[in-house]
Amino acid sequence: MQISELARRAGVPVATVKYYLREGLLPPGELTGATRARYGEEHLSRLGLVRALLGPGGLSVATARAVLDAVDTPATSVHQALGAAHRALPGVGPDAPADLDQARALLRRQGWQVAEDSPALRALAGALEALRAAGSPPSEELLDRYAEAAGRIGEQDVAAVPTGSLADAVRFVVVNTVLLEPVLLALRRLAQEDASRRRFPGDR
Amino acid sequence: MQISELARRAGVPVATVKYYLREGLLPPGELTGATRARYGEEHLSRLGLVRALLGPGGLSVATARAVLDAVDTPATSVHQALGAAHRALPGVGPDAPADLDQARALLRRQGWQVAEDSPALRALAGALEALRAAGSPPSEELLDRYAEAAGRIGEQDVAAVPTGSLADAVRFVVVNTVLLEPVLLALRRLAQEDASRRRFPGDR
DNA sequence: CCTGGTTGGATAGTGTTGCTACCCAATGTT
DNA sequence: AACATTGGGTAGCAACACTATCCAACCAGG
């Protein structure tokens, strides 16, 4: 398969495929001459992954590259791959040395143990700070319920990881970590809509 | 309070405050002369809200304006305000006439009733399609568990809405809808990390 | 062997976004 | 009177994700 067929089959302009190649999101094809390269099915599926991460996944090209590096790096364990993926994903900005106390207290109440420097911990602290700054500090009860629900989801995510090939597991973890986020957010909004309808009946 | 004090107290450059005024994110101050205007505490709190929506909330200026319009429009009910906020938020792109079947089936299993044209429904369908395109079609079981967890969260969100002033309720709904999203995503990642640690023990 | 279209590789240009810098005359402040 | 600040406006900028164009090297068909 040449670049034009790859692009056509993926529904992506050739110029964009070249761009992804330059940016290292897509591995180069096998060169068969100075102006010819061959691409395989794995390029097609990788291109689909790239488009999913950049579009619905909402990642920037730079972040997607970091995430894909995590996919490509041979991992020694699923746990490590998860950590690598989390580290590649954008947390809260590089600024904001948010205070971690409230976040840590929440983890303690849930009995969760995470790395001291977990990017997700920092992200949580930053998000809580933003809520306080916006004048809507969340109650402990609300946070606990959120954490309980998140706990079930995290449990489910980890339980669903295929145990066969490690490479498959890593890809699965990365794809699901990123692409189930919009699913979760959409479900939350749908649940809000349904709950709001039930709580305020007859309220068109 | 003049613009420089407003900017200083909010920790935002004056030029940026002017930009927000131009963009209609911040209502104009009370003019006290051709080159003088007075701003109040409500401007300060609004500015905090704007920064929270644009930064941690991850909204674009255009989306934030739409969301803030929903906050400002006198609502006749919390349910309507929630709908307005959801409509203002970015769903899946304007393209993607994704097929809604899987999403609708999920809602039916959960017993949720939402508007036929709910933007969240479209967003869900788009997100599911992206997962399929990326080669990781989610199992029904996984989606059901996600939906159950999302259901608890939506319930909690609606239950937490203050019932006193309608305007307060609307603001609360909008702020929490947007700013609890990063909280939820961070909690999910923390839960994944904890679950992964428990499932793969001794796995540094 | 000739011709026309395609390729890899490179460089430059485009449109959008979220500011940021500068300018001006009018106005406060001292 | 001297000086800084303001509102209002315009212009510039850096990052981002492409997109367009060019070029020599090819390969495939006739």
Side-chain angles (χ1 to χ4, degrees):
Chain A
M1 179 170 26
Q2 304 202 133
I3 199 173
S4 54
E5 188 183 346
L6 175 64
R8 194 178 39 72
R9 283 225 269 157
V12 174
V14 171
T16 304
V17 175
K18 285 183 171 185
Y19 171 64
Y20 294 158
L21 286 166
R22 275 199 305 279
E23 292 295 323
L25 302 182
L26 210 52
E30 183 197 349
L31 283 175
T32 64
T35 67
R36 216 61 33 154
R38 194 162 33 210
Y39 302 89
E41 294 300 317
E42 74 280 11
H43 286 94
L44 186 59
S45 96
R46 173 65 166 246
L47 186 47
L49 175 57
V50 168
R51 291 295 277 191
L53 294 181
L54 293 183
L59 301 189
S60 70
V61 167
T63 304
R65 182 170 40 227
V67 167
L68 290 169
D69 279 352
V71 172
D72 295 334
T73 303
T76 61
S77 75
V78 173
H79 185 62
Q80 284 201 331
L82 185 73
H86 281 186
R87 253 171 277 121
L89 288 170
V92 76
D95 42 349
D99 92 299
L100 305 177
D101 290 351
Q102 194 184 6
R104 268 203 259 265
L106 177 56
L107 295 199
R108 210 175 314 113
R109 289 200 299 278
Q110 296 294 322
W112 293 355
Q113 288 176 35
V114 303
E116 187 58 27
D117 61 343
S118 168
L121 179 60
R122 226 180 301 278
L124 176 59
L128 293 177
E129 198 146 286
L131 272 160
R132 287 194 294 272
S136 270
S139 71
E140 275 201 1
E141 188 199 347
L142 185 142
L143 289 179
D144 283 337
R145 301 232 179 144
Y146 262 68
E148 281 158 26
R152 285 171 219 273
I153 290 172
E155 203 72 49
Q156 168 68 24
D157 286 331
V158 170
V161 174
T163 52
S165 134
L166 186 53
D168 283 354
V170 169
R171 186 191 154 105
F172 181 91
V173 162
V174 168
V175 169
N176 277 26
T177 296
V178 175
L179 294 184
L180 283 177
E181 290 192 352
V183 170
L184 178 57
L185 296 184
L187 284 173
R188 173 178 174 240
R189 291 196 200 160
L190 289 167
Q192 286 180 344
E193 189 175 337
D194 179 67
S196 157
R197 181 188 55 76
R198 279 184 285 105
R199 188 177 174 99
F200 309 103
D203 195 353
R204 293 294 93 217
Chain B
M1 177 172 23
Q2 305 202 132
I3 199 173
S4 54
E5 188 183 347
L6 174 64
R8 193 178 38 72
R9 283 226 269 158
V12 174
V14 171
T16 303
V17 174
K18 285 183 171 185
Y19 171 65
Y20 294 157
L21 286 166
R22 275 199 305 280
E23 292 295 324
L25 302 182
L26 211 52
E30 183 196 349
L31 285 175
T32 64
T35 66
R36 216 64 29 156
R38 194 163 32 209
Y39 303 89
E41 294 300 318
E42 72 282 10
H43 286 94
L44 186 58
S45 97
R46 174 66 165 245
L47 187 48
L49 175 57
V50 168
R51 292 293 278 189
L53 294 181
L54 293 183
L59 301 189
S60 69
V61 168
T63 304
R65 182 171 38 227
V67 167
L68 290 169
D69 279 350
V71 172
D72 295 334
T73 303
T76 61
S77 75
V78 172
H79 185 64
Q80 285 202 330
L82 185 73
H86 282 186
R87 253 170 278 122
L89 288 170
V92 75
D95 42 351
D99 92 301
L100 304 176
D101 290 351
Q102 193 183 8
R104 268 202 260 265
L106 178 56
L107 295 198
R108 210 176 314 115
R109 289 201 298 278
Q110 295 295 321
W112 292 356
Q113 288 176 34
V114 303
E116 188 59 25
D117 62 343
S118 169
L121 179 59
R122 227 181 300 278
L124 176 59
L128 293 178
E129 198 147 285
L131 273 160
R132 286 193 295 272
S136 270
S139 70
E140 275 201 359
E141 188 199 345
L142 184 141
L143 288 179
D144 283 338
R145 300 232 180 144
Y146 262 68
E148 282 159 25
R152 285 170 218 274
I153 290 172
E155 204 71 49
Q156 169 68 24
D157 286 331
V158 170
V161 172
T163 52
S165 136
L166 187 53
D168 283 354
V170 169
R171 185 191 155 106
F172 181 91
V173 162
V174 169
V175 170
N176 277 27
T177 296
V178 176
L179 293 184
L180 283 177
E181 290 192 353
V183 170
L184 178 56
L185 296 184
L187 284 173
R188 173 176 175 241
R189 291 195 200 160
L190 289 167
Q192 285 180 343
E193 188 175 339
D194 180 65
S196 156
R197 182 189 54 76
R198 278 185 286 106
R199 187 177 174 99
F200 308 102
D203 194 352
R204 292 294 92 220

